Every structure is written in C-alpha cells, then in structure tokens.
Amino acid sequence: MKILIVDDEMFSRENIKEIISSYGGNKFEIIETESSEEALEFCKSFFPQIIFIDIRMPHMDGIELAVRIRQILPSAAIIFVSAYPEKEYLKAALSLRAIRFVEKPIIATELIEAFEEALSQVKEKEEHILSLFSGNRDTLDWIKLAIGTLLSEGGQNSSEIYSLEKIMGADVLRNITAVSIAIKFLKNDVASLSSYLLTLVNSFLNTIQRKKCYENICAFYTLKDHLVFIYLISPKKEIRTSVLISFCNELKDFLETYNLKFLIGVGKIVYDIREINSSSTAALLALEDAYIKKAGYVAFFEERKYVPFPYGEKERIYFFNLLNQKNYEQAKIFVKSLALEIRKRENLRTRDIKLFFFKLIEILDEREAERKLEIYLRILDTTILDELVDIIIEEIDRYRVSALQKYENEYVNKMIEFLNENYSKPELRIEDVSRAVNLSTSYACFLFKKVTGKTIKQYLLELRARKAEELLRGGSEKIKDVSNKVGFRYSDYFTKKFKKITGILPSHIKNKKKR
C-alpha cells in the first residue's frame, strides 16, 4: 500500500507518518512532501493509493491540489487535514470525494479512523477489478473491458495483463506502441450513463476494427470517474499519426450521432506498457489545454510553455462598477467579450482562467464560506470555457434578483404575461420566455418555480389546456382546430395532455355541449 503525505509543516508530516507506521508496521510505503507541485510529480511516478492533504498551503491550496490529483489518479483515497475550524467549509470539500477531514492538532484515534475508512475504499476498488475476472472469459468484449480497467490503474498489474493476452492468443503487450485517449462528457450524469457509454464505445470499436487501416491495432477501454479511456496498442509497428487522427475523427463523428457533447484528449505515444499512465496523464493535459475550445474538439498532447495570465485587477474593477451601476446586461456582455479574447490567446493555463473568473464573481456579494466553496468547485469542475461563462451569467442574474428581491414577482409576472401573449405559438420555447425578461434560461426556470411552484413547461401546458377548454365549451370548432389554436401541432398529443391535466377527454366536452 502506497501512501503520500502533503503538508507544508514538517511536524505535521512526521506526526501523520509516525501514527500510520505505528498502525501498520512495514506494510505501508510512505513518502512525504511539503510542495503541492512535487506531490503532483509523485502522483505520476509513485502512484499513491491513499493521500493526506493539508487544506492551506502556499502556491496551491489543498482543494486545487485534490482536483488536479483526481485528474491523474481518479481512484486515490484522499484525506484532508486542517488547522482551521470552519467545519462546514471543509464538509463542502467532500464533494471532491475525499474520505473525510481530520482537524489539527491531530488526534491519533481520529486519524486512524479516517485511515481505516480509506483502506476499506481502496480494498473495494481492488475487489471491483478482480470481479471483472469472474465474467464470461470467452467473450472478446469482456477481455477488452478487463484489460482496459487494468491499464487505467497505470499498467502496473503486469502479470494479470499478460495472462489476459494469452487468452487473446496474441502477444500484444510486449514490444508495443501504445497511446491513451480520454473522452470527457459535458453536462451529463456520467455515473447513470456508464453502461450506455461503455456499450457505445464497444460498438464503435467493434465496427472500426474491421477496417484494414486498423488491423494491426488492438483497442481496450474502460470508464473511470466520469472519463472514458480508450487504449490503442499495436504489437507490430508504430501507430502512425495519420491513423491516430483518422481514428479520433471517426470516434468524434460516431459520438456526435448520439447527440453527446464531449472533448477528446489524445496522449503521447509510449513504447512500454508500464508507461501507459504517462500517456493517460498527457491525454488529461490535452483535455485541460482544450478548455477554451468548443464541444467536440479533439486535442492532441503537446509540450507547452505557458504565459502569465494577462487580466486581473483592472478588469475586476470595471466589472464591479458595471454591477454597482446596475448595468447587468453590460456586465454579461463584458464577461462574454473576455471569454472571446481568451479564446484568441495561446498557452494560458486553464487554472489561471478559472481562478480569474472566480475572483471576478467573488465580489458579487459577501458570501458565506460554504457558498464560496460551492461556486469555486463548480468552476473547477467545468470542462470547457462555455460552461464557465454560463455559470458567471447565472451568478450575475442571481445577484441581480437578490439585489432586487422585492421585484421577484415582477419578473415572474412578466414571464406569465409573455406566456399569455404567446401560448398559441407551437414553436414557443423556454429560451424565448427567459429572453423576454433578460434572464439566463437556468435562472428563469429556477425563479419561476420558486414563485409559482410550477415549472414553465407545466404552467404553459396548463394554460393551453385552460384556453382549449374555453374554446371547446364556447364554440363549435373541431378538436383539431382547437389544438392548433392553443399551440399544439398534433391533435393526438393535445388529447393526451388535455386528459392528463383536466381529467376528461376533449371529446367529452364536445359531446356534453351537444346534449
């Protein structure tokens, strides 16, 4: 079991090391560092399974370090330690899937309790990998997924991988050329879609590997912490760049046919299966550098020399003045123009972009620590710049409505007025309603539900049903004509919704009127 301790205080590091050593004797391999940057390097070479992280450290705080570690070692068990008493602040940090936090000064029993929980988590993950080997060993799909899962652990389980390659009847993992491809999906609950995504990827690989240009390439895959990894391995010759580009473009086109939004990161080519983790890390770095791109972008890893971030206090003051003058729409335009300028620049660090925008909206109001952390984590979790801009726009709207809370009903009344004026249009969308009151769609939906207790869609359907009932009771029009007049394209769908809302069929009203 490998353990990493990251803390800028030497006494604290030694204390944790002594407690763990006393608990487990020589069973654990422990290394320590005072530097967040060095900790990241250890994660790429040492592959720790349990990591202790101090919350407050110079240069890079423990939360940002944990986010970056998750990109390198998604399965590592993280335990926060802190000398600060804001428990609610630290509890919110558990959204990073940390085991727990331990307060300083450290009490041995509390540390051991957290450590035992981490050991249990690591054991569960190992048992999950082993469970793959209880599947149907006669299926190639099972082998591709099993090997992919082992490769995602860093290619260290060499004996098991070698036994699996024998099942395939090919010596695919010695004297090889390999590359990792990482796919990150946007705005999807990947956990609930995991089986679906793996089925899609498997279907793609089964189809594409029938093509002659890929005949010397073996492909394995797995899903790990919101990312799908594909490993391409050629036992005969180097994977040509042109073939790799062709593969990624076909993968992109395939996923887009299913209306999925994603980024693809391609790592560096390696020539030793034990280096597959460095290719995976490079793929993750490629994803990070593609942050300013649009969904569907394929990013190939390249060494970069990053430049200082060009924006700062001047832009923050200008933004603050816009808000102070209640010029909210201009503030939104300013944010979007900043994003546009950032897209044109090369070699900016993604973390600098995220930190700048967090500091930009930090001035919106005096937030509680937990609320600040919530926004900070949301920004850190964004995959592309467009997602970050959406968050900023939403926060501007939230601030505007918060500053003008007494006018909440006025916003909703304007939305209701707009719905009453436009309900008969079949093409009416929720985005049209939010645009009518100059709010982001997400915040307009939130505000409408808060005030009325109903969603905009629900309100619109009920409004259309009510208007339809008035027409049915007061005239001699056909049901089809009534459905068209109240905004339904298809009379069958109208009948179904009308019955669900009113409890009766439109035809019953017509028949009753005739009698």
Side-chain angles (χ1 to χ4, degrees):
M1 183 72 65
K2 296 182 178 181
I3 299 165
L4 172 63
I5 302 169
V6 190
D7 196 317
D8 59 324
E9 297 177 357
M10 184 178 68
F11 174 78
S12 179
R13 295 196 307 273
E14 290 179 349
N15 190 19
I16 295 172
K17 186 175 181 178
E18 182 179 342
I19 293 170
I20 299 303
S21 297
S22 299
Y23 173 81
N26 296 323
K27 290 193 299 184
F28 307 122
E29 187 178 351
I30 305 173
I31 61 172
E32 58 183 271
T33 178
E34 64 181 355
S35 163
S36 295
E37 288 78 7
E38 190 174 36
L40 291 173
E41 293 305 314
F42 280 138
C43 287
K44 297 173 186 177
S45 58
F46 180 64
F47 307 115
Q49 294 156 289
I50 298 175
I51 306 173
F52 291 88
I53 302 177
D54 184 23
I55 288 285
R56 293 286 181 90
M57 291 186 294
H59 308 304
M60 185 191 306
D61 65 38
I63 293 173
E64 184 179 353
L65 175 60
V67 170
R68 297 185 68 183
I69 285 174
R70 281 275 173 253
Q71 295 175 337
I72 301 169
L73 297 173
S75 297
I78 293 175
I79 299 171
F80 285 120
V81 293
S82 175
Y84 298 89
E86 304 99 326
K87 286 193 175 183
E88 291 306 315
Y89 180 91
L90 294 172
K91 284 178 182 177
L94 297 182
S95 61
L96 283 166
R97 291 174 289 109
I99 296 294
R100 63 169 64 184
F101 73 91
V102 177
E103 279 193 57
K104 295 179 181 178
I106 292 171
I107 299 173
T109 53
E110 289 185 4
L111 187 77
I112 291 300
E113 187 179 332
F115 183 65
E116 286 179 338
E117 196 172 335
L119 285 173
S120 176
Q121 185 185 92
V122 171
K123 185 178 179 181
E124 283 180 12
K125 291 180 184 295
E126 290 175 346
E127 288 174 350
H128 169 66
I129 292 175
L130 291 174
S131 71
L132 290 169
F133 294 89
S134 63
N136 182 358
R137 293 173 179 263
D138 296 327
T139 65
L140 185 59
D141 291 346
W142 167 79
I143 293 171
K144 288 190 295 186
L145 179 57
I147 293 182
T149 302
L150 291 173
L151 290 172
S152 72
E153 297 299 318
Q156 304 302 305
N157 300 283
S158 55
S159 60
E160 290 172 330
I161 292 176
Y162 291 154
S163 66
L164 280 172
E165 67 174 0
K166 289 176 182 177
I167 297 174
M168 297 184 69
D171 184 13
V172 297
L173 299 184
R174 296 179 179 86
N175 303 317
I176 54 89
T177 301
V179 64
S180 297
I181 298 171
I183 312 168
K184 186 164 188 178
F185 293 89
L186 282 60
K187 295 184 178 178
N188 277 315
D189 182 3
V190 179
S192 65
L193 293 172
S194 58
S195 296
Y196 173 68
L197 293 174
L198 288 177
T199 300
L200 281 183
V201 170
N202 183 56
S203 174
F204 169 75
L205 294 178
N206 285 340
T207 300
I208 202 168
Q209 289 199 274
R210 298 190 191 106
K211 296 186 178 183
K212 187 174 179 61
C213 59
Y214 306 118
E215 63 183 358
N216 292 321
I217 297 176
C218 296
F220 309 101
Y221 65 96
T222 192
L223 185 140
K224 187 170 183 178
D225 293 313
H226 308 299
L227 291 167
V228 172
F229 282 93
I230 297 175
Y231 305 98
L232 301 183
I233 299 175
S234 176
K236 292 189 176 182
K237 55 184 179 181
E238 182 164 347
I239 301 172
R240 297 197 310 274
T241 302
S242 59
V243 172
L244 189 54
I245 292 172
S246 174
F247 179 92
C248 291
N249 285 336
E250 292 196 54
L251 174 62
K252 172 181 179 293
D253 294 341
F254 176 84
L255 293 175
E256 285 179 341
T257 61
Y258 291 88
N259 296 318
L260 294 168
K261 293 185 177 181
F262 55 88
L263 288 177
I264 297 175
V266 184
K268 61 185 179 181
I269 294 174
V270 295
Y271 303 93
D272 184 330
I273 199 60
R274 291 167 297 182
E275 293 296 318
I276 196 67
N277 196 70
S278 66
S279 182
S280 298
T281 300
L284 294 175
L285 290 173
L287 282 178
E288 188 172 342
D289 287 336
Y291 185 76
I292 62 175
K293 306 297 183 181
K294 296 287 186 179
Y297 187 79
V298 179
F300 287 80
F301 171 75
E302 56 180 293
E303 297 287 350
R304 291 181 180 273
K305 187 175 181 180
Y306 296 102
V307 299
F309 195 73
Y311 307 110
E313 192 64 22
K314 177 183 175 183
E315 287 73 23
R316 291 184 71 209
I317 292 172
Y318 180 71
F319 180 71
F320 176 77
N321 287 336
L322 289 175
L323 296 177
N324 220 21
Q325 297 162 11
K326 297 182 172 56
N327 199 342
Y328 305 114
E329 291 309 307
Q330 191 59 41
K332 293 180 185 178
I333 293 171
F334 176 63
V335 168
K336 291 176 181 177
S337 67
L338 275 176
L340 193 61
E341 288 181 27
I342 287 171
R343 287 190 199 282
K344 296 176 183 177
R345 293 181 176 270
E346 296 291 331
N347 300 332
L348 294 179
R349 289 185 184 274
T350 298
R351 67 181 184 186
D352 290 343
I353 297 172
K354 292 179 179 181
L355 185 59
F356 167 74
F357 278 103
F358 171 69
K359 289 183 176 179
L360 197 67
I361 62 169
E362 195 179 24
I363 63 175
L364 290 182
D365 55 5
E366 290 298 324
R367 302 171 187 270
E368 296 178 358
E370 188 172 349
R371 171 64 178 150
K372 281 186 179 182
L373 182 62
E374 178 190 338
I375 298 298
Y376 182 49
L377 292 176
R378 282 185 68 195
I379 288 175
L380 286 179
D381 197 44
T382 55
T383 303
I384 57 175
L385 185 56
D386 284 345
E387 289 181 323
L388 189 150
V389 170
D390 287 344
I391 290 174
I392 305 301
I393 298 301
E394 182 181 321
E395 287 302 308
I396 292 173
D397 284 336
R398 191 182 297 275
Y399 173 78
R400 172 168 62 172
V401 175
S402 176
L404 305 171
Q405 197 166 13
K406 60 181 179 180
Y407 297 120
E408 279 188 349
N409 286 334
E410 183 179 329
Y411 276 105
V412 174
N413 288 336
K414 285 181 179 178
M415 285 189 265
I416 290 174
E417 183 180 343
F418 180 82
L419 289 169
N420 276 289
E421 292 173 355
N422 295 276
Y423 71 88
S424 61
K425 299 176 181 177
E427 68 277 9
L428 181 63
R429 301 176 306 155
I430 293 176
E431 289 82 359
D432 299 324
V433 180
S434 62
R435 197 177 299 116
V437 291
N438 292 318
L439 291 179
S440 66
T441 301
S442 59
Y443 198 73
C445 291
F446 165 79
L447 190 59
F448 195 93
K449 179 74 179 290
K450 177 185 176 183
V451 174
T452 68
K454 300 177 181 179
T455 65
I456 295 175
K457 184 178 179 180
Q458 181 185 357
Y459 183 91
L460 177 59
L461 284 172
E462 292 178 0
L463 173 62
R464 284 171 167 169
R466 190 166 65 250
K467 295 294 184 182
E469 187 173 357
E470 291 174 5
L471 290 172
L472 290 168
R473 294 187 186 281
S476 57
E477 295 175 274
K478 295 180 180 179
I479 292 175
K480 181 179 180 181
D481 295 333
V482 169
S483 71
N484 290 336
K485 280 190 174 182
V486 297
F488 288 91
R489 285 194 173 95
Y490 307 105
S491 57
D492 289 346
Y493 181 69
F494 161 70
T495 299
K496 179 181 176 182
K497 290 298 179 183
F498 187 89
K499 171 78 163 44
K500 184 176 180 180
I501 293 169
T502 65
I504 56 175
L505 291 167
S507 56
H508 288 177
I509 296 177
K510 297 287 290 182
N511 294 336
K512 186 176 180 181
K513 185 175 182 296
K514 288 177 182 178
R515 290 197 298 268

